């Protein structure tokens, strides 16, 4: 059974950097066919895809967040992480990590973390 668990501070001050880590158990983040994503949901809004790190370590980020976003991994701990710099109150959201299965005939987010609330406030 694959499990994802987000961790990180629940409160971040404006202009600081938000740092979150997703710990994966039950499966390796280096296994091909899988991509590991960060997705957030601001209060009262829909899900927003932030970025992804693939099994080979390559990354991609949302154009609207690319200048502030860094995604990286620690394969020895089977973890991947998100850093979002220069945060504002608009970055307040529930942050999720999720696994995306990509095959020639099937694409789906098949496992999600429970989500972690991050509030940006002074």
């Amino acid at each position: 059974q694959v499990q994802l668990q987000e961790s990180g501070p629940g409160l971040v001050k404006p202009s600081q950097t938000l740092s979150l880590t997703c710990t994966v158990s039950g499966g390796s983040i280096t296994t091909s066919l899988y991509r590991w994503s960060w997705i957030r949901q601001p209060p009262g809004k829909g899900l927003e895809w932030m970025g992804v790190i693939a099994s080979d370590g390559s990354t991609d980020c949302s154009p609207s967040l690319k200048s502030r976003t860094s995604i990286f991994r620690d394969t020895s701990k089977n973890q991947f992480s998100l850093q979002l710099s220069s945060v504002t109150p608009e970055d307040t959201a529930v942050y999720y990590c999720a696994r995306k299965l990509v095959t020639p005939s099937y694409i789906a987010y098949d496992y999600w973390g429970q989500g972690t609330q991050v509030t940006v406030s002074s």
Side-chain angles (χ1 to χ4, degrees), residues 6-26:
E6 304 91 348
S7 61
L11 180 64
V12 183
K13 288 181 167 51
S15 80
Q16 292 187 341
T17 296
L18 180 162
S19 296
L20 296 174
T21 294
C22 183
T23 301
V24 180
S25 59

Side-chain angles (χ1 to χ4, degrees), residues 34-39 49-62 69-72 80-82 98-100 102 109:
Y34 298 124
R35 300 178 185 174
W36 305 88
S37 298
W38 286 101
I39 297 165
W49 178 79
M50 300 183 69
V52 64
I53 185 164
S55 57
D56 64 357
S58 59
T59 61
D60 190 20
C61 297
S62 168
T69 303
S70 176
I71 297 175
F72 52 95
F80 64 105
S81 299
L82 169 74
R99 188 180 84 168
K100 186 177 184 180
V102 181
Y109 288 100

Side-chain angles (χ1 to χ4, degrees), residues 42-104:
K45 298 185 179 181
L47 294 171
E48 178 185 15
W49 178 79
M50 300 183 69
V52 64
I53 185 164
S55 57
D56 64 357
S58 59
T59 61
D60 190 20
C61 297
S62 168
S64 65
L65 298 171
K66 197 164 190 173
S67 64
R68 299 195 291 132
T69 303
S70 176
I71 297 175
F72 52 95
R73 66 182 185 175
D74 185 336
T75 57
S76 68
K77 297 180 179 179
N78 214 36
Q79 296 175 332
F80 64 105
S81 299
L82 169 74
Q83 287 189 339
L84 182 67
S85 63
S86 305
V87 297
T88 72
E90 285 66 43
D91 293 308
T92 294
V94 177
Y95 286 75
Y96 298 93
C97 57
R99 188 180 84 168
K100 186 177 184 180
L101 170 63
V102 181
T103 73

